[in-house]
PDB file of all heavy atoms in Angstrom:
ATOM      1  N   MET A  72      23.449  -4.795  -2.498  1.00  0.00           N
ATOM      2  CA  MET A  72      22.901  -3.794  -3.412  1.00  0.00           C
ATOM      3  C   MET A  72      21.826  -4.467  -4.259  1.00  0.00           C
ATOM      4  O   MET A  72      22.055  -5.525  -4.841  1.00  0.00           O
ATOM      5  CB  MET A  72      23.993  -3.208  -4.305  1.00  0.00           C
ATOM      6  CG  MET A  72      23.508  -2.089  -5.212  1.00  0.00           C
ATOM      7  SD  MET A  72      22.889  -0.615  -4.362  1.00  0.00           S
ATOM      8  CE  MET A  72      24.379   0.028  -3.642  1.00  0.00           C
ATOM      9  N   TYR A  73      20.674  -3.809  -4.309  1.00  0.00           N
ATOM     10  CA  TYR A  73      19.520  -4.362  -5.002  1.00  0.00           C
ATOM     11  C   TYR A  73      18.924  -3.294  -5.905  1.00  0.00           C
ATOM     12  O   TYR A  73      19.255  -2.104  -5.801  1.00  0.00           O
ATOM     13  CB  TYR A  73      18.450  -4.807  -3.992  1.00  0.00           C
ATOM     14  CG  TYR A  73      18.893  -5.935  -3.103  1.00  0.00           C
ATOM     15  CD1 TYR A  73      19.705  -5.708  -1.998  1.00  0.00           C
ATOM     16  CD2 TYR A  73      18.515  -7.243  -3.382  1.00  0.00           C
ATOM     17  CE1 TYR A  73      20.122  -6.750  -1.184  1.00  0.00           C
ATOM     18  CE2 TYR A  73      18.922  -8.294  -2.571  1.00  0.00           C
ATOM     19  CZ  TYR A  73      19.721  -8.038  -1.477  1.00  0.00           C
ATOM     20  OH  TYR A  73      20.131  -9.064  -0.686  1.00  0.00           O
ATOM     21  N   ILE A  74      18.029  -3.746  -6.764  1.00  0.00           N
ATOM     22  CA  ILE A  74      17.269  -2.850  -7.615  1.00  0.00           C
ATOM     23  C   ILE A  74      15.808  -3.270  -7.481  1.00  0.00           C
ATOM     24  O   ILE A  74      15.506  -4.462  -7.399  1.00  0.00           O
ATOM     25  CB  ILE A  74      17.775  -2.910  -9.080  1.00  0.00           C
ATOM     26  CG1 ILE A  74      17.130  -1.843  -9.931  1.00  0.00           C
ATOM     27  CG2 ILE A  74      17.641  -4.277  -9.680  1.00  0.00           C
ATOM     28  CD1 ILE A  74      17.797  -1.659 -11.295  1.00  0.00           C
ATOM     29  N   ILE A  75      14.906  -2.297  -7.401  1.00  0.00           N
ATOM     30  CA  ILE A  75      13.489  -2.591  -7.270  1.00  0.00           C
ATOM     31  C   ILE A  75      12.833  -2.561  -8.649  1.00  0.00           C
ATOM     32  O   ILE A  75      13.224  -1.764  -9.511  1.00  0.00           O
ATOM     33  CB  ILE A  75      12.799  -1.610  -6.295  1.00  0.00           C
ATOM     34  CG1 ILE A  75      11.392  -2.089  -5.951  1.00  0.00           C
ATOM     35  CG2 ILE A  75      12.799  -0.193  -6.830  1.00  0.00           C
ATOM     36  CD1 ILE A  75      10.773  -1.366  -4.766  1.00  0.00           C
ATOM     37  N   ASN A  76      11.878  -3.423  -8.849  1.00  0.00           N
ATOM     38  CA  ASN A  76      11.130  -3.432 -10.102  1.00  0.00           C
ATOM     39  C   ASN A  76      10.450  -2.073 -10.245  1.00  0.00           C
ATOM     40  O   ASN A  76       9.719  -1.645  -9.359  1.00  0.00           O
ATOM     41  CB  ASN A  76      10.091  -4.554 -10.067  1.00  0.00           C
ATOM     42  CG  ASN A  76       9.362  -4.728 -11.370  1.00  0.00           C
ATOM     43  OD1 ASN A  76       9.117  -3.784 -12.102  1.00  0.00           O
ATOM     44  ND2 ASN A  76       8.989  -5.956 -11.648  1.00  0.00           N
ATOM     45  N   PRO A  77      10.691  -1.353 -11.328  1.00  0.00           N
ATOM     46  CA  PRO A  77      10.132  -0.007 -11.491  1.00  0.00           C
ATOM     47  C   PRO A  77       8.607   0.033 -11.424  1.00  0.00           C
ATOM     48  O   PRO A  77       8.039   1.067 -11.089  1.00  0.00           O
ATOM     49  CB  PRO A  77      10.622   0.443 -12.861  1.00  0.00           C
ATOM     50  CG  PRO A  77      11.625  -0.533 -13.286  1.00  0.00           C
ATOM     51  CD  PRO A  77      11.517  -1.747 -12.447  1.00  0.00           C
ATOM     52  N   ALA A  78       7.941  -1.056 -11.721  1.00  0.00           N
ATOM     53  CA  ALA A  78       6.479  -1.075 -11.644  1.00  0.00           C
ATOM     54  C   ALA A  78       5.995  -0.795 -10.226  1.00  0.00           C
ATOM     55  O   ALA A  78       4.859  -0.373 -10.029  1.00  0.00           O
ATOM     56  CB  ALA A  78       5.946  -2.415 -12.136  1.00  0.00           C
ATOM     57  N   CYS A  79       6.865  -0.983  -9.241  1.00  0.00           N
ATOM     58  CA  CYS A  79       6.502  -0.711  -7.847  1.00  0.00           C
ATOM     59  C   CYS A  79       6.444   0.780  -7.545  1.00  0.00           C
ATOM     60  O   CYS A  79       5.724   1.202  -6.658  1.00  0.00           O
ATOM     61  CB  CYS A  79       7.525  -1.319  -6.897  1.00  0.00           C
ATOM     62  SG  CYS A  79       7.623  -3.088  -6.922  1.00  0.00           S
ATOM     63  N   VAL A  80       7.230   1.558  -8.263  1.00  0.00           N
ATOM     64  CA  VAL A  80       7.415   2.953  -7.868  1.00  0.00           C
ATOM     65  C   VAL A  80       7.196   3.984  -8.966  1.00  0.00           C
ATOM     66  O   VAL A  80       7.175   5.174  -8.693  1.00  0.00           O
ATOM     67  CB  VAL A  80       8.829   3.169  -7.271  1.00  0.00           C
ATOM     68  CG1 VAL A  80       8.961   2.418  -5.960  1.00  0.00           C
ATOM     69  CG2 VAL A  80       9.918   2.736  -8.227  1.00  0.00           C
ATOM     70  N   VAL A  81       7.035   3.546 -10.210  1.00  0.00           N
ATOM     71  CA  VAL A  81       6.939   4.481 -11.327  1.00  0.00           C
ATOM     72  C   VAL A  81       5.550   4.411 -11.950  1.00  0.00           C
ATOM     73  O   VAL A  81       5.065   3.326 -12.256  1.00  0.00           O
ATOM     74  CB  VAL A  81       8.003   4.165 -12.412  1.00  0.00           C
ATOM     75  CG1 VAL A  81       7.854   5.084 -13.603  1.00  0.00           C
ATOM     76  CG2 VAL A  81       9.396   4.278 -11.827  1.00  0.00           C
ATOM     77  N   LYS A  82       4.945   5.569 -12.111  1.00  0.00           N
ATOM     78  CA  LYS A  82       3.680   5.635 -12.838  1.00  0.00           C
ATOM     79  C   LYS A  82       3.970   6.026 -14.276  1.00  0.00           C
ATOM     80  O   LYS A  82       4.952   6.688 -14.563  1.00  0.00           O
ATOM     81  CB  LYS A  82       2.752   6.679 -12.207  1.00  0.00           C
ATOM     82  CG  LYS A  82       2.272   6.298 -10.837  1.00  0.00           C
ATOM     83  CD  LYS A  82       1.344   7.360 -10.312  1.00  0.00           C
ATOM     84  CE  LYS A  82       0.865   6.997  -8.919  1.00  0.00           C
ATOM     85  NZ  LYS A  82       0.004   8.022  -8.364  1.00  0.00           N
ATOM     86  N   GLY A  83       3.099   5.652 -15.171  1.00  0.00           N
ATOM     87  CA  GLY A  83       3.276   6.034 -16.568  1.00  0.00           C
ATOM     88  C   GLY A  83       4.250   5.120 -17.273  1.00  0.00           C
ATOM     89  O   GLY A  83       4.345   3.941 -16.974  1.00  0.00           O
ATOM     90  N   LYS A  84       4.990   5.696 -18.190  1.00  0.00           N
ATOM     91  CA  LYS A  84       5.897   4.898 -19.018  1.00  0.00           C
ATOM     92  C   LYS A  84       7.277   4.855 -18.391  1.00  0.00           C
ATOM     93  O   LYS A  84       8.054   5.783 -18.526  1.00  0.00           O
ATOM     94  CB  LYS A  84       5.964   5.476 -20.428  1.00  0.00           C
ATOM     95  CG  LYS A  84       4.629   5.406 -21.135  1.00  0.00           C
ATOM     96  CD  LYS A  84       4.749   5.884 -22.556  1.00  0.00           C
ATOM     97  CE  LYS A  84       3.384   5.759 -23.218  1.00  0.00           C
ATOM     98  NZ  LYS A  84       3.422   6.000 -24.623  1.00  0.00           N
ATOM     99  N   GLY A  85       7.558   3.774 -17.721  1.00  0.00           N
ATOM    100  CA  GLY A  85       8.863   3.589 -17.108  1.00  0.00           C
ATOM    101  C   GLY A  85       9.683   2.555 -17.837  1.00  0.00           C
ATOM    102  O   GLY A  85      10.464   1.855 -17.231  1.00  0.00           O
ATOM    103  N   HIS A  86       9.490   2.477 -19.174  1.00  0.00           N
ATOM    104  CA  HIS A  86      10.149   1.417 -19.941  1.00  0.00           C
ATOM    105  C   HIS A  86      11.667   1.467 -19.843  1.00  0.00           C
ATOM    106  O   HIS A  86      12.326   0.436 -19.869  1.00  0.00           O
ATOM    107  CB  HIS A  86       9.700   1.429 -21.401  1.00  0.00           C
ATOM    108  CG  HIS A  86      10.100   2.648 -22.152  1.00  0.00           C
ATOM    109  ND1 HIS A  86       9.390   3.820 -22.078  1.00  0.00           N
ATOM    110  CD2 HIS A  86      11.155   2.880 -22.961  1.00  0.00           C
ATOM    111  CE1 HIS A  86       9.989   4.727 -22.841  1.00  0.00           C
ATOM    112  NE2 HIS A  86      11.047   4.182 -23.381  1.00  0.00           N
ATOM    113  N   MET A  87      12.227   2.660 -19.730  1.00  0.00           N
ATOM    114  CA  MET A  87      13.683   2.746 -19.634  1.00  0.00           C
ATOM    115  C   MET A  87      14.157   2.138 -18.321  1.00  0.00           C
ATOM    116  O   MET A  87      15.137   1.400 -18.289  1.00  0.00           O
ATOM    117  CB  MET A  87      14.150   4.189 -19.777  1.00  0.00           C
ATOM    118  CG  MET A  87      13.943   4.736 -21.193  1.00  0.00           C
ATOM    119  SD  MET A  87      14.261   6.493 -21.329  1.00  0.00           S
ATOM    120  CE  MET A  87      15.977   6.571 -20.923  1.00  0.00           C
ATOM    121  N   LEU A  88      13.435   2.432 -17.233  1.00  0.00           N
ATOM    122  CA  LEU A  88      13.790   1.846 -15.951  1.00  0.00           C
ATOM    123  C   LEU A  88      13.542   0.347 -15.951  1.00  0.00           C
ATOM    124  O   LEU A  88      14.300  -0.416 -15.375  1.00  0.00           O
ATOM    125  CB  LEU A  88      12.994   2.507 -14.820  1.00  0.00           C
ATOM    126  CG  LEU A  88      13.372   3.950 -14.486  1.00  0.00           C
ATOM    127  CD1 LEU A  88      12.417   4.516 -13.441  1.00  0.00           C
ATOM    128  CD2 LEU A  88      14.797   4.040 -14.003  1.00  0.00           C
TER     129      LEU A  88
END
Side-chain angles (χ1 to χ4, degrees):
M72 184 63 68
Y73 296 80
I74 188 168
I75 191 167
N76 186 327
C79 295
V80 293
V81 177
K82 292 181 181 178
K84 296 184 179 189
H86 65 278
M87 291 172 63
L88 289 175

